[in-house]
């Protein structure tokens, strides 16, 4: 059925590797939720589960027949609107940023839709390295599961922990050298669920009084920190393509993980480096949880740009050094004619053919 990821082109793996590994942790998430969630919690997350299932089938279909961009975007819009309108999961305001506390309903819908679609596709773009997407999502799901449980939103906590368990199991086989890839089946599902849960976190944290659990005074900055790697990588790639006069959607190998690989790092080293950077950002918002978004949001964004530029500079220096030390590609080699042994010549029979 050709259900393998073929090497070549922009692919950085060398062998035919099974894809659609997302089936494993998505199906396990549904099974876990059906087994462990009380009926009341299942009712609370029913629209999230329905939209999550829709994204799963879209990713599955894309892995099998390669859907067009408008088809995938249309499905993402439908899934996002299911959660935004039916479950009322949306960004209701800016929570004090620039003095804005509440947004008009239509503005809230549009802003939330753009945020969910943008974050979903940003996460999908980082799925280009063994273990990277799974490891990045694992940190976010662990944080969100803990926080939802702490503030009393048990249904969303259990959902987060269910995906976390599935992803951790999947990483055993997806860690470098990967035996299987998650494909769009997994990356679209993970990116969509992460974007929904992050939006919900921002809104709950931004509107709660603070007596229900741990409150972050900068909900938007904290949400950005949870997805700082895909956000920074997508903005960086789009900006570089625009500067070169290329379409922002044109595929290439200019992502952060591609750049770090050229530096000589292995897949697992690149993954661990980006995970550590993400954990540092989450630790920073913990330390500054009493500071509002007017302080924390510029600080998080500025730090991301600063670290990114430093990584680019170090990587570029390392790549130049590797190229300088490497032998020329075109090297003339002396070719010798193959010699046939005399005893072989005596035994063979020559014909006119």
């Amino acid at each position: 059925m050709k259900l393998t990821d073929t090497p070549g082109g922009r692919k950085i793996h060398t062998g035919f590797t099974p894809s659609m590994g997302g089936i494993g942790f998505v199906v396990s998430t549904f099974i876990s939720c059906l087994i462990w969630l009380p009926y009341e919690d299942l009712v609370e997350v029913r629209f999230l589960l329905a939209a999550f299932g829709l994204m799963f089938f879209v990713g599955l279909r894309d892995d099998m027949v390669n859907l067009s961009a408008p088809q995938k975007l249309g499905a993402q819009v439908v899934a996002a609107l299911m959660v935004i309108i039916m479950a009322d999961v949306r960004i209701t305001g800016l929570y004090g940023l620039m003095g804005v506390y509440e947004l008009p309903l239509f503005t809230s819908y549009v802003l939330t839709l753009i945020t969910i679609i943008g974050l979903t596709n940003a996460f999908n773009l980082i799925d280009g390295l063994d273990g990277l997407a799974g490891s990045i999502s694992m940190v976010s799901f662990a944080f969100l599961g803990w926080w939802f449980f702490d503030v009393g939103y048990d249904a969303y906590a259990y959902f987060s922990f269910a995906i976390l368990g599935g992803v951790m199991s999947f990483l055993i086989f997806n860690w470098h050298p990967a035996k299987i890839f998650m494909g769009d089946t997994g990356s679209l599902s993970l990116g969509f669920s992460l974007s929904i849960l992050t939006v919900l976190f921002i809104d709950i944290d931004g509107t709660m009084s603070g007596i229900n659990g741990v409150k972050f005074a900068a909900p938007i900055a904290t949400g950005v920190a949870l997805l700082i790697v895909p956000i920074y990588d997508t903005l960086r790639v789009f900006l570089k393509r625009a500067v070169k006069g290329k379409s922002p959607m044109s595929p290439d190998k200019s992502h952060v993980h591609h750049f770090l690989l050229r530096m000589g790092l292995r897949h697992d080293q690149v993954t661990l480096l980006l995970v550590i950077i993400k954990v540092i950002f989450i630790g920073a918002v913990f330390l500054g949880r009493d500071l509002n978004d007017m302080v924390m949001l510029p600080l998080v964004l500025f730090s991301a740009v600063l670290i990114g530029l430093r990584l680019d500079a170090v990587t570029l220096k390392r790549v130049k050094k590797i190229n300088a030390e490497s032998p020329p590609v075109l090297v003339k080699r002396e070719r010798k004619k193959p010699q046939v042994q005399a005893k072989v010549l005596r035994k063979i029979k020559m014909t006119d053919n």
Side-chain angles (χ1 to χ4, degrees):
M1 295 178 66
K2 299 181 180 179
L3 302 181
T4 57
D5 206 330
T6 306
R10 293 184 301 114
K11 308 291 185 178
I12 57 178
H13 60 281
T14 56
F16 289 84
T17 307
S19 61
M20 294 166 40
I23 294 174
F25 57 78
V26 173
V27 172
S28 71
T29 299
F30 278 103
I31 294 175
S32 299
C33 289
L34 291 174
I35 292 175
W36 294 107
L37 264 67
Y39 177 76
E40 296 78 10
D41 289 341
L42 276 175
V43 171
E44 186 175 355
V45 297
R46 65 189 185 279
F47 296 116
L48 173 58
L49 289 174
F52 182 61
L54 174 59
M55 290 308 302
F56 165 69
F57 284 112
V58 171
L60 183 65
R61 184 69 175 169
D62 186 45
D63 281 333
M64 297 179 71
V65 298
N66 286 328
L67 297 176
S68 65
Q71 288 174 324
K72 287 197 290 186
L73 182 61
Q76 291 172 17
V77 170
V78 172
L81 289 177
M82 286 174 61
V83 180
I84 294 171
I85 297 175
M86 297 179 181
D88 199 33
V89 175
R90 57 190 176 90
I91 299 172
T92 58
L94 296 185
Y95 317 105
L97 181 64
M98 297 182 293
V100 179
Y101 287 90
E102 189 173 354
L103 294 172
L105 184 62
F106 180 76
T107 305
S108 172
Y109 282 162
V110 173
L111 177 61
T112 306
L113 180 63
I114 294 173
T115 301
I116 292 173
I117 299 299
L119 292 178
T120 299
N121 288 284
F123 185 86
N124 190 36
L125 290 175
I126 68 166
D127 182 30
L129 211 63
D130 294 350
L132 179 58
S135 300
I136 292 294
S137 67
M138 186 178 68
V139 177
S140 297
F141 282 125
F143 173 90
L144 289 166
W146 160 77
W147 189 84
F148 283 128
F149 192 77
D150 186 64
V151 298
Y153 282 75
D154 293 353
Y156 293 98
Y158 297 149
F159 178 77
S160 302
F161 287 138
I163 302 182
L164 174 61
V167 171
M168 290 174 68
S169 303
F170 171 75
L171 279 174
I172 296 173
F173 305 96
N174 185 236
W175 195 253
H176 183 69
K179 299 178 180 66
I180 190 169
F181 298 148
M182 68 172 64
D184 281 351
T185 306
S187 60
L188 279 178
S189 302
L190 286 184
F192 179 77
S193 56
L194 267 180
S195 63
I196 294 294
L197 293 174
T198 301
V199 166
L200 182 63
F201 160 79
I202 291 172
D203 189 60
I204 295 174
D205 183 83
T207 55
M208 75 180 194
S209 61
I211 60 174
N212 300 323
V214 176
K215 177 177 172 58
F216 294 86
I220 298 177
T222 308
V224 171
L226 287 175
L227 292 169
I228 189 63
V229 173
I231 290 174
Y232 171 77
D233 181 57
T234 301
L235 293 177
R236 172 183 175 275
V237 167
F238 280 14
L239 183 60
K240 281 196 168 187
R241 291 171 184 170
V243 169
K244 293 179 181 179
K246 299 168 61 178
S247 168
M249 305 305 296
S250 58
D252 56 23
K253 287 188 177 181
S254 59
H255 292 279
V256 171
H257 51 269
H258 290 139
F259 210 48
L260 292 175
L261 279 178
R262 295 191 195 104
M263 186 172 137
L265 298 177
R266 300 191 310 269
H267 285 231
D268 52 347
Q269 292 173 328
V270 174
T271 297
L272 288 173
L273 175 61
L274 294 177
V275 168
I276 289 171
I277 290 174
K278 177 170 180 171
V279 171
I280 290 174
F281 273 92
I282 293 177
V285 295
F286 260 107
L287 294 175
R289 67 177 182 268
D290 294 327
L291 301 174
N292 60 28
D293 274 316
M294 291 294 290
V295 177
M296 286 302 296
L297 186 57
L299 185 61
V300 167
L301 295 177
F302 178 76
S303 299
V305 173
L306 196 64
I307 293 175
L309 291 175
R310 180 58 182 166
L311 275 178
D312 282 357
V314 172
T315 304
L316 188 59
K317 184 178 179 180
R318 177 62 180 162
V319 169
K320 288 181 178 179
K321 183 179 178 182
I322 293 174
N323 290 337
E325 295 174 352
S326 300
V329 177
L330 299 176
V331 178
K332 291 184 178 180
R333 296 182 180 179
E334 183 181 352
R335 294 187 177 184
K336 296 181 179 180
K337 285 186 176 182
Q339 299 294 325
V340 182
Q341 295 180 10
K343 62 180 181 180
V344 175
L345 284 173
R346 288 195 296 269
K347 292 182 179 180
I348 64 175
K349 294 181 179 180
M350 304 298 291
T351 69
D352 293 339
N353 294 330

